């Protein structure tokens, strides 16, 4: 909501955080990361993109002592939980989030789910290896290997309370989302901004976004707004 303070755990170079901050210019965001090098990249990224509602702090997501109890309106994390070393660190992160989050605060965590077979992990990592740097393919595979299982993420999230629900991509938990319910209707300005951001994507990115939204929708998590729709009640066109 406008005026909210939102904490991004493991913000890295802030690629995702910049996009979220752009969509929510009336909210304030704090990105934390254990790596100062990542925070240096994040700072440069924010300046380059002209985003003014983001600040950064160095720190660990499982130790948030710099934040007071019930002081944060929202906590987000995008593809960072798998960097935690073990279940103890994941549980500690969830306890810290519960401590700092206001009673009506919002939460949104998205990360890989650990797939059972190494062959499946390798398939996802190498699916487009001809179009991406080799180091990216290796890092992708290692991230899938390091991910927590759906059971792990569900168990750790219990401390966050009944308001937090776990969702996964249909058929296999390739991606897992833990989130509270939507707190308010998306304003016209945010819908327009989302359409503009979608329009700026490459055809491949647009395809992937819409394909991924289907896997989450069939897993029980529909998008609150589809940026490829030109009108509020437009029927979603089929993928080309």
């Amino acid at each position: 909501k406008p005026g909210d303070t939102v904490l991004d755990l493991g913000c890295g170079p802030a690629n995702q955080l910049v996009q979220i901050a752009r969509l929510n210019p009336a909210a304030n965001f704090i990105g934390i990361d254990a790596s100062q090098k990542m925070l240096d990249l994040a700072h440069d990224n924010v300046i380059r993109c002209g985003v003014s509602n983001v600040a950064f702090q160095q720190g660990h997501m499982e130790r948030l002592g710099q934040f007071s109890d019930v002081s944060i309106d929202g906590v987000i994390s995008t593809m960072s939980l798998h960097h935690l070393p073990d279940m103890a660190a994941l549980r500690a992160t969830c306890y810290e989030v519960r401590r700092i989050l206001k009673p009506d605060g919002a939460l949104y965590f998205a990360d890989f789910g650990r797939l059972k077979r190494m062959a499946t992990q390798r398939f996802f990592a190498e699916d487009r290896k001809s179009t991406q740097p080799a180091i990216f393919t290796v890092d992708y595979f290692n991230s899938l290997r390091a991910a927590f299982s759906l059971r792990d993420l569900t168990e750790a999230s219990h401390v966050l309370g009944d308001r937090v629900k776990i969702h996964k991509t249909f058929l296999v938990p390739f991606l897992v989302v833990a989130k509270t319910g939507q707190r308010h209707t998306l304003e016209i300005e945010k819908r327009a901004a989302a359409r503009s951001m979608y329009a700026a994507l490459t055809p491949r990115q647009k395809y992937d976004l819409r394909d991924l939204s289907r896997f989450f929708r069939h897993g029980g998590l529909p998008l609150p707004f589809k940026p490829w729709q030109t009108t509020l009640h437009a029927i979603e066109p089929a993928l080309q």
Side-chain angles (χ1 to χ4, degrees):
K1 296 177 181 179
D4 276 359
T5 296
V6 180
L7 182 63
D8 183 13
L9 304 180
C11 65
N15 293 325
Q16 287 81 19
L17 181 53
V18 163
Q19 306 304 321
I20 296 168
R22 278 176 167 171
L23 278 173
N24 300 273
N28 302 302
F29 295 86
I30 302 171
I32 71 163
D33 202 279
S35 169
Q36 185 58 51
K37 289 184 178 180
M38 281 294 179
L39 293 179
D40 291 341
L41 291 172
H43 182 71
D44 292 343
N45 197 15
V46 164
I47 293 176
R48 177 177 55 82
C49 295
V51 176
S52 60
N53 57 332
V54 179
F56 297 102
Q57 295 184 20
Q58 187 173 14
H60 296 267
M61 64 180 79
E62 66 270 38
R63 299 192 298 274
L64 300 175
Q66 66 269 49
F67 300 102
S68 303
D69 295 357
V70 294
S71 62
I72 300 296
D73 298 287
V75 180
I76 60 177
S77 181
T78 309
M79 313 309 291
S80 294
L81 295 179
H82 66 269
H83 290 289
L84 292 169
D86 51 35
M87 275 296 293
L90 179 61
R91 292 190 190 99
T93 298
C94 290
Y95 273 107
E96 282 290 82
V97 169
R98 185 186 69 176
R99 179 183 65 80
I100 67 172
L101 198 61
K102 293 180 180 179
D104 64 341
L107 178 141
Y108 185 98
F109 287 171
D111 209 329
F112 296 116
R114 188 173 69 244
L115 304 170
K116 292 181 179 180
R117 299 179 61 225
M118 186 181 296
T120 309
Q121 298 167 355
R122 195 171 296 281
F123 167 79
F124 279 107
E126 298 182 355
D127 184 38
R128 298 180 188 172
K129 66 178 181 180
S130 62
T131 64
Q132 61 198 24
I135 192 171
F136 180 90
T137 302
V138 172
D139 186 60
Y140 194 173
F141 177 68
N142 289 336
S143 295
L144 290 170
R145 294 283 291 159
F148 293 99
S149 69
L150 177 62
R151 177 179 293 181
D152 291 339
L153 293 166
T154 301
E155 176 191 327
S157 70
H158 285 163
V159 69
L160 297 169
D162 295 337
R163 292 175 56 238
V164 175
K165 306 299 182 185
I166 302 292
H167 306 271
K168 67 176 182 65
T169 44
F170 184 58
L171 296 179
V172 295
F174 169 62
L175 290 175
V176 179
V177 166
K179 68 183 294 289
T180 51
Q182 189 175 342
R183 294 198 296 164
H184 61 103
T185 303
L186 292 176
E187 302 94 336
I188 293 176
E189 293 80 7
K190 282 187 184 176
R191 293 171 183 248
R195 288 195 186 99
S196 296
M197 293 169 68
Y198 176 78
L201 298 177
T202 67
R204 180 79 255 181
Q205 290 170 332
K206 290 177 180 177
Y207 178 95
D208 287 344
L209 177 60
R210 292 168 65 167
D211 196 38
L212 187 59
S213 75
R214 284 182 170 82
F215 275 97
F216 268 118
R217 183 184 67 201
H218 291 310
L221 181 61
L223 286 177
F225 168 68
K226 299 179 178 66
W228 49 84
Q229 290 184 341
T230 56
T231 62
L232 184 60
H233 300 292
I235 298 176
E236 181 181 349
L239 279 171
Q240 300 299 318

